[in-house]
Amino acid sequence: MSRIAKILIVLIIIFALLAALSGFYEKWIWFKDLGYSQLFWTPILSKVLFQFVNGTILFGFIMGTLLSIRHAIITFINTRFQRIRKVQDVDRPGFSISKKRITVLLIVISAVISYAFSFISGFTGWLEVLMFLNAAAFGKGDPIFGRDLAFYFFKLPFFQTVFNAFYIPLFLLTLLTAVFYFITGVLRLHSLKIWRRNSIEIGVSARRHLALLIGILLLMKAFGYFLNVYQLLYSVHGHVVGAGYTDLNATLPALKILTGLTILGALLAWGGLALKEVRLLTMPVLGIFLLGIILDGIYPSLIQSWIVVPNELNKEAPYIQNEIAMTRYGYGLDKIMEQNYPGNTPLTVGSLKTNQSTINNIRLNDVRPMMQTYTQKQGIRLYYKFNDIDIDRYTINNEYRQLMLSARELSTPDLDAKAKTFVNMRLKYTHGFGVAASFANAVTSEGLPSFAMKDVPPVTDFPELKLQEPRIYFGELTNDWVVANTSTKEFDYPQGNTNAEDSYKGKTGIRLTGLNKLMISLHHGTFQLYLANEINSESRFLIDRNIKDRVQNLAPFLSYDADPYLVIADGRLKWIIDAYTTSDKLPYAGNYPNHSFNYIRNSVKVIIDAYDGTVDFYAVDPSDPVLQTYSRIFPGVFKDLSQMPGSLQSHLRYPETLFTIQANILKTFHMTDPSVFYNKEDAWGIPQELYEAKPQDIDPYYTILQMPDTGKPEFVLMLPFTPASSQTNTRNNMVSWMAARMDGDRYGQLVLYTLPKNIEIDGPLQIESRIDQDPSISQQLTLWNQKGSTVIRGNLLVLPVGGNFLYVEPIYLQAQQSGSIPEMKRIVLAYQDKLVMTDNLGQAFVQIFGNNAPQPSTLGQNTPVTPAVPLPQVTPAAPQANLDVNTILNQINQARSILDNLEKQIKGTTGETTPATP
């Protein structure tokens, strides 16, 4: 082989090694760039260490076994070679393998098998080991054994991991050893008493070896039975999640007996070494196997069928109580403060004025149709996209107001096909620009959202919303890597015949120096980083720009909310992601449907800068033992909440995802009496509303309310409840409502308001039915639907006000042709038996409560609020020679509707109110 060929082979090998390591290298410098090196090294070093320990223990077992059968192997090999010798080789010396050589070979085989198995299969329990070593106490015990819950969260999983890691390999090792002895005839020779000295010695050695392995295996099985005792607290029998009557009165004693018997069996197996009784090896194993089937299988099933099922409530009541208590703890329902709410207190002008802040913030704009409006009105260019609209609160002009806000991100897949060059996709179009924001309760005269911030560059009349850095390099749609701060300026936004441009000056980003550039090029399979003249040593390589992927890669042991939200703080755009600590190890608590957790806490808030991608983890629930454990494993990662700037703390929201989970659990677990819970006598359901003419569950909604126990407006997340429906019984009246508070020291408080059971209060779907049954309203909606337009009924909001409820629903109209924008045309307001549909909310209050009724704030409102009641839009029929009967009846109904509304207007101006037509 020539020298050049050798050099090429060496270069290829080096190149292949660098390519294989390039992903690891890129990941390391990315973690280092963000300041989280320990989040990179702790898992890796832990896995290597634990895999080495695991491999060493396996090596000990395998090597011990192989060395124990070494003499049998040597005899077997030598005997087989003797038998296959040719006739002409009889007088020649026979083949014989030395003991030293076979020993070295067996040690090498043991090492290769054990460490290869350990490292190839991987050690998935590294986090369980670290949590075991750093466990934080809960200060709360389980209801059966009284052990601190930390045992179930951190210690029992570790013990289970150890058992699973060694029991199966040990079982296979014992089985293969026995098979080897039978194949080689060692056990058969001894059992037939062939009294050749070597055979007898090998047989005795084999018996001792198997006795040792079987004894260890039985001890491991006893340990497994011990663990199964605590696993009973996760069992499911009948109506109980967790240990029930059968588990504690049949299975538990059986497991204790089996634990004792397996320990005794191990001792008997080892005793067989001294007594030279082979049956002491087999009898314990067979006996334990048969008793296990009877005690741990048949007996509990008989107890469950004959004793528990006929008297289930009586037998299971104490354990149902345990399930209720632990489930409420696992989902945070035990901290809910319950209060009574009258629901039928008459509202007056005075009580409405007391709740002026609630009226000022009634959300009229529905997020669902508004997405089309944002895209059409604020998209500016095809490559600008709005992923979703977030609802938050801001103090604007000294008023506490709800704001709807969405990031204007850049979507490179929507660039023109001819513009999708390397320079454009990776160097030029690198970031979005600014946000669009509108008031939750304000619309223009055209029925469109009233924008508090709009256009590019962003324009706003409110100093609180002004942006110093509007660029968005990191967002929900930024899925590709880019190179920033090159010699080519980056696109900012279109500006007349030219484009505004800028260069990245952020803190983060991998510098494209020599080694970095090489490894990144190898990892991404491109040499464009070398070919592009625009890239220099000061350029920054930005990866993992999707904020959800970014935090998931940094801290995968946390669970993250699927809906990040954007806030304006100190002139910058910041993403906030809710992070959860979850576990499925809580005793007596069932997993949330279609998920694998029965314990959840919103313990962490993650802040990501939209411009430079810096990430900060803040501990908002430092009392959570799971978070405390993570903090011990990764010291310095989780910052104290006091370190979060006040401008960000004022925008922390109670997550809708967690609230939804809690609401779904509360539907059943608000019943704390075991008998009521067992019979599901008072089960609740999530109310429904109509959207696109179909009933659907109401989602929790953010709003600003004056809570019953305070006179100040608060930003809350709320949801009403109705009785649970069945196939034979459907009740849509409201029975309670829950709110999550999130302002100041009240952040995270849950309050459940229950309504009197002796009165009926309309639920959302009943209000929807009343809207459909109102002659004037249904007629107008029908007319709109027949004229090339589609009526969209927005969110039906149930708002607690002054001990009663107001129901508000916006009505949108959208033309059926493509590209049309939904426009808000009417507002429906309901109160007790009154129901009106008007042009705006102020008119609705006047019609129901009179001319002195308080009016919503005009901040951001482009349409004046007038007390006049508009006449319904009635289009006269075209002149016809012969009118049919249906046309005449239709016009009569329209005329009657006009007269009815005139009567309402006249009575409204005198302060009288008119009940809705039944």
Side-chain angles (χ1 to χ4, degrees):
M1 185 180 293
S2 66
R3 184 178 179 183
I4 297 177
K6 293 179 180 179
I7 293 175
L8 286 176
I9 291 175
V10 171
L11 290 176
I12 291 173
I13 293 173
I14 294 174
F15 184 83
L17 289 174
L18 289 176
L21 294 172
S22 61
F24 179 87
Y25 180 86
E26 181 185 274
K27 197 172 184 180
W28 168 58
I29 57 177
W30 179 75
F31 273 85
K32 183 180 177 181
D33 180 62
L34 291 176
Y36 290 108
S37 295
Q38 64 169 310
L39 288 177
F40 177 78
W41 287 114
T42 298
I44 290 176
L45 295 179
S46 299
K47 288 178 182 179
V48 172
L49 175 61
F50 298 146
Q51 284 174 333
F52 178 78
V53 172
N54 185 38
T56 301
I57 296 174
L58 288 177
F59 170 71
F61 278 118
I62 296 174
M63 185 185 69
T65 297
L66 292 180
L67 291 182
S68 298
I69 63 176
R70 173 180 49 188
H71 195 63
I73 293 175
I74 294 174
T75 303
F76 177 75
I77 293 175
N78 290 339
T79 301
R80 288 296 180 269
F81 272 98
Q82 282 291 118
R83 290 180 178 178
I84 61 174
R85 294 177 67 192
K86 296 180 180 180
V87 175
Q88 61 268 29
D89 296 331
V90 170
D91 296 331
R92 296 181 182 179
F95 176 83
S96 178
I97 187 168
S98 69
K99 184 177 181 180
K100 181 179 179 181
R101 183 178 298 176
I102 197 67
T103 300
V104 173
L105 180 62
L106 292 179
I107 292 174
V108 171
I109 292 174
S110 301
V112 171
I113 292 175
S114 57
Y115 289 107
F117 176 81
S118 178
F119 281 87
I120 291 175
S121 62
F123 191 86
T124 57
W126 68 271
L127 187 58
E128 282 85 352
V129 177
L130 291 179
M131 295 180 81
F132 172 79
L133 297 174
N134 297 275
F138 277 72
K140 182 181 179 67
D142 76 85
I144 301 301
F145 305 110
R147 283 187 173 271
D148 189 277
L149 293 179
F151 173 80
Y152 298 94
F153 277 70
F154 310 127
K155 297 182 180 180
L156 186 58
F158 168 73
F159 294 144
Q160 199 70 50
T161 299
V162 171
F163 177 77
N164 293 334
F166 295 111
Y167 179 75
I168 294 178
L170 184 59
F171 174 80
L172 294 175
L173 189 62
T174 304
L175 179 64
L176 292 175
T177 301
V179 170
F180 171 79
Y181 283 140
F182 277 105
I183 291 177
T184 57
V186 171
L187 289 180
R188 180 174 57 84
L189 285 174
H190 183 56
S191 62
L192 293 176
K193 299 184 179 180
I194 298 178
W195 296 106
R196 289 181 300 180
R197 183 176 178 183
N198 288 342
S199 299
I200 294 174
E201 289 179 356
I202 295 173
V204 171
S205 175
R207 186 182 64 189
R208 290 174 178 175
H209 184 213
L210 281 179
L212 178 65
L213 289 179
I214 290 174
I216 296 174
L217 189 65
L218 288 175
L219 282 183
M220 286 291 293
K221 187 61 178 177
F223 182 60
Y225 283 134
F226 169 78
L227 298 181
N228 288 342
V229 167
Y230 297 99
Q231 292 289 345
L232 289 177
L233 272 61
Y234 304 105
S235 66
V236 179
H237 285 297
H239 283 72
V240 181
V241 174
Y245 181 90
T246 300
D247 296 307
L248 298 180
N249 292 278
T251 308
L252 178 59
L255 289 173
K256 291 181 177 180
I257 293 172
L258 290 171
T259 302
L261 288 176
T262 49
I263 294 175
L264 179 61
L267 296 176
L268 290 175
W270 292 335
L273 294 175
L275 300 176
K276 298 181 180 180
E277 178 57 60
V278 178
R279 287 174 294 181
L280 291 179
L281 294 180
T282 56
M283 293 297 291
V285 176
L286 295 175
I288 291 169
F289 177 74
L290 294 175
L291 282 174
I293 295 175
I294 296 172
L295 294 179
D296 197 21
I298 298 174
Y299 177 60
S301 299
L302 294 177
I303 295 294
Q304 179 72 20
S305 301
W306 292 353
I307 296 178
V308 176
V309 172
N311 308 281
E312 192 165 36
L313 178 57
N314 182 47
K315 295 295 184 182
E316 303 285 26
Y319 313 112
I320 292 175
Q321 188 66 64
N322 293 338
E323 179 188 353
I324 293 172
M326 297 303 288
T327 301
R328 287 176 62 87
Y329 171 77
Y331 294 96
L333 305 184
D334 58 324
K335 297 181 180 179
I336 292 178
M337 296 178 288
E338 296 190 26
Q339 299 181 19
N340 294 323
Y341 189 79
N344 61 350
T345 303
L347 292 180
T348 64
V349 171
S351 62
L352 288 175
K353 290 182 178 179
T354 303
N355 290 271
Q356 183 68 52
S357 57
T358 300
I359 296 173
N360 288 344
N361 284 281
I362 295 176
R363 179 165 60 86
L364 303 179
N365 291 306
D366 189 339
V367 170
R368 294 167 296 188
M370 276 184 62
M371 276 301 300
Q372 300 178 53
T373 306
Y374 269 52
T375 301
Q376 293 281 353
K377 290 293 185 180
Q378 287 298 306
I380 311 297
R381 293 290 188 272
L382 290 176
Y383 43 76
Y384 282 135
K385 294 293 182 183
F386 296 100
N387 186 60
D388 64 359
I389 298 175
D390 301 311
I391 300 175
D392 201 3
R393 74 285 201 192
Y394 291 80
T395 300
I396 299 176
N397 288 353
N398 296 319
E399 289 189 37
Y400 199 46
R401 303 303 301 275
Q402 278 191 93
L403 206 65
M404 310 178 82
L405 185 145
S406 186
R408 184 183 291 104
E409 298 193 57
L410 192 142
S411 175
T412 51
D414 291 300
L415 289 171
D416 186 88
K418 295 182 179 179
K420 293 181 179 180
T421 62
F422 174 81
V423 172
N424 282 342
M425 297 288 285
R426 303 297 187 182
L427 313 182
K428 193 79 172 177
Y429 291 92
T430 58
H431 58 273
F433 205 89
V435 300
S438 59
F439 291 99
N441 71 324
V443 294
T444 67
S445 57
E446 299 168 331
L448 301 177
S450 177
F451 285 101
M453 179 180 287
K454 58 183 180 180
D455 302 336
V456 285
V459 176
T460 180
D461 296 329
F462 307 104
E464 299 87 348
L465 302 180
K466 290 188 180 298
L467 288 173
Q468 299 173 6
E469 183 49 77
R471 296 167 184 85
I472 303 174
Y473 282 84
F474 300 85
E476 296 180 271
L477 301 178
T478 47
N479 298 315
D480 299 319
W481 59 265
V482 297
V483 181
N485 193 30
T486 64
S487 60
T488 297
K489 291 287 186 179
E490 300 160 39
F491 171 80
D492 254 357
Y493 55 87
Q495 191 177 47
N497 295 327
T498 60
N499 294 325
E501 297 178 332
D502 194 67
S503 292
Y504 176 75
K505 305 177 185 65
K507 300 177 183 178
T508 68
I510 301 172
R511 292 184 181 276
L512 289 175
T513 54
L515 181 60
N516 290 354
K517 183 186 288 189
L518 172 63
M519 298 300 277
I520 290 171
S521 297
L522 290 174
H523 180 59
H524 292 277
T526 177
F527 287 99
Q528 293 284 4
L529 300 181
Y530 285 97
L531 300 177
N533 296 326
E534 297 87 348
I535 298 175
N536 53 61
S537 60
E538 295 300 317
S539 299
R540 299 294 186 99
F541 189 74
L542 305 181
I543 57 173
D544 289 322
R545 297 195 301 135
N546 184 294
I547 55 173
K548 289 185 280 190
D549 294 340
R550 196 172 185 83
V551 296
Q552 183 68 44
N553 291 336
L554 276 174
F557 48 86
L558 297 173
S559 300
Y560 297 96
D561 200 290
D563 184 25
Y565 63 99
L566 189 67
V567 302
I568 299 172
D570 301 322
R572 296 181 72 91
L573 295 174
K574 301 280 188 177
W575 293 100
I576 300 180
I577 301 181
D578 289 287
Y580 307 98
T581 54
T582 61
S583 175
D584 62 350
K585 305 304 180 184
L586 182 65
Y588 273 107
N591 283 349
Y592 188 70
N594 302 319
H595 293 77
S596 58
F597 63 81
N598 59 9
Y599 173 92
I600 182 170
R601 296 290 186 269
N602 177 216
S603 299
V604 179
K605 302 285 186 180
V606 189
I607 311 296
I608 305 101
D609 190 284
Y611 179 67
D612 61 23
T614 52
V615 181
D616 293 297
F617 296 86
Y618 291 96
V620 295
D621 185 5
S623 64
D624 175 26
V626 180
L627 178 61
Q628 291 175 10
T629 301
Y630 286 145
S631 298
R632 294 176 183 180
I633 298 172
F634 306 103
V637 170
F638 301 101
K639 299 180 180 179
D640 190 83
L641 183 61
S642 60
Q643 297 178 259
M644 181 185 290
S647 57
L648 286 173
Q649 289 191 41
S650 62
H651 290 288
L652 296 183
R653 301 187 321 186
Y654 197 89
E656 184 180 339
T657 299
L658 177 59
F659 190 82
T660 301
I661 291 170
Q662 292 173 317
N664 284 322
I665 298 297
L666 188 66
K667 291 188 300 183
T668 302
F669 284 90
H670 70 277
M671 299 178 286
T672 55
D673 181 87
S675 177
V676 176
F677 180 89
Y678 177 83
N679 293 304
K680 302 296 185 287
E681 297 174 10
D682 189 29
W684 293 348
I686 304 298
Q688 293 189 315
E689 63 176 351
L690 293 179
Y691 188 74
E692 295 183 347
K694 297 178 181 178
Q696 63 179 31
D697 287 349
I698 286 181
D699 293 324
Y701 47 91
Y702 294 98
T703 187
I704 292 180
L705 286 180
Q706 284 183 221
M707 298 289 282
D709 61 344
T710 179
K712 294 182 179 179
E714 294 184 48
F715 189 61
V716 302
L717 179 63
M718 67 164 291
L719 183 69
F721 293 96
T722 59
S725 299
S726 64
Q727 294 181 351
T728 59
N729 184 19
T730 300
R731 295 172 57 204
N732 295 313
N733 59 292
M734 196 155 50
V735 294
S736 63
W737 60 282
M738 184 169 67
R741 308 171 92 160
M742 55 196 86
D743 285 346
D745 295 337
R746 293 192 179 95
Y747 178 87
Q749 290 183 6
L750 293 176
V751 188
L752 178 65
Y753 294 92
T754 55
L755 304 176
K757 294 187 177 182
N758 59 344
I759 62 174
E760 183 169 308
I761 297 172
D762 285 345
L765 201 57
Q766 290 174 315
I767 298 298
E768 297 278 22
S769 298
R770 287 175 55 187
I771 293 173
D772 290 334
Q773 293 167 7
D774 185 278
S776 58
I777 296 177
S778 61
Q779 181 183 25
Q780 181 67 73
L781 299 182
T782 301
L783 286 173
W784 278 338
N785 267 324
Q786 293 175 350
K787 297 181 178 180
S789 300
T790 301
V791 173
I792 301 173
R793 289 158 70 159
N795 283 133
L796 178 58
L797 301 183
V798 180
L799 301 173
V801 178
N804 210 307
F805 293 97
L806 296 175
Y807 306 84
V808 180
E809 181 174 84
I811 304 296
Y812 292 85
L813 192 64
Q814 183 176 16
Q816 292 180 351
Q817 62 263 31
S818 62
S820 61
I821 301 175
E823 298 177 358
M824 188 187 300
K825 291 302 182 183
R826 293 291 186 270
I827 297 294
V828 175
L829 177 65
Y831 162 68
Q832 291 186 340
D833 61 346
K834 302 176 178 65
L835 182 73
V836 297
M837 183 174 74
T838 61
D839 277 356
N840 57 55
L841 193 57
Q843 294 177 6
F845 274 104
V846 168
Q847 285 200 22
I848 290 181
F849 298 102
N851 286 334
N852 294 325
Q855 296 295 300
S857 170
T858 58
L859 180 65
Q861 188 70 262
N862 293 341
T863 55
V865 178
T866 60
V869 181
L871 299 180
Q873 298 178 0
V874 178
T875 304
Q880 297 179 5
N882 297 308
L883 294 176
D884 57 71
V885 175
N886 290 333
T887 303
I888 295 173
L889 291 175
N890 188 34
Q891 291 183 350
I892 291 174
N893 288 332
Q894 292 179 5
R896 183 180 296 167
S897 177
I898 294 172
L899 294 174
D900 288 343
N901 279 278
L902 284 172
E903 182 181 3
K904 290 179 183 179
Q905 181 180 359
I906 293 171
K907 289 185 178 181
T909 57
T910 61
E912 300 179 13
T913 59
T914 303
T917 304

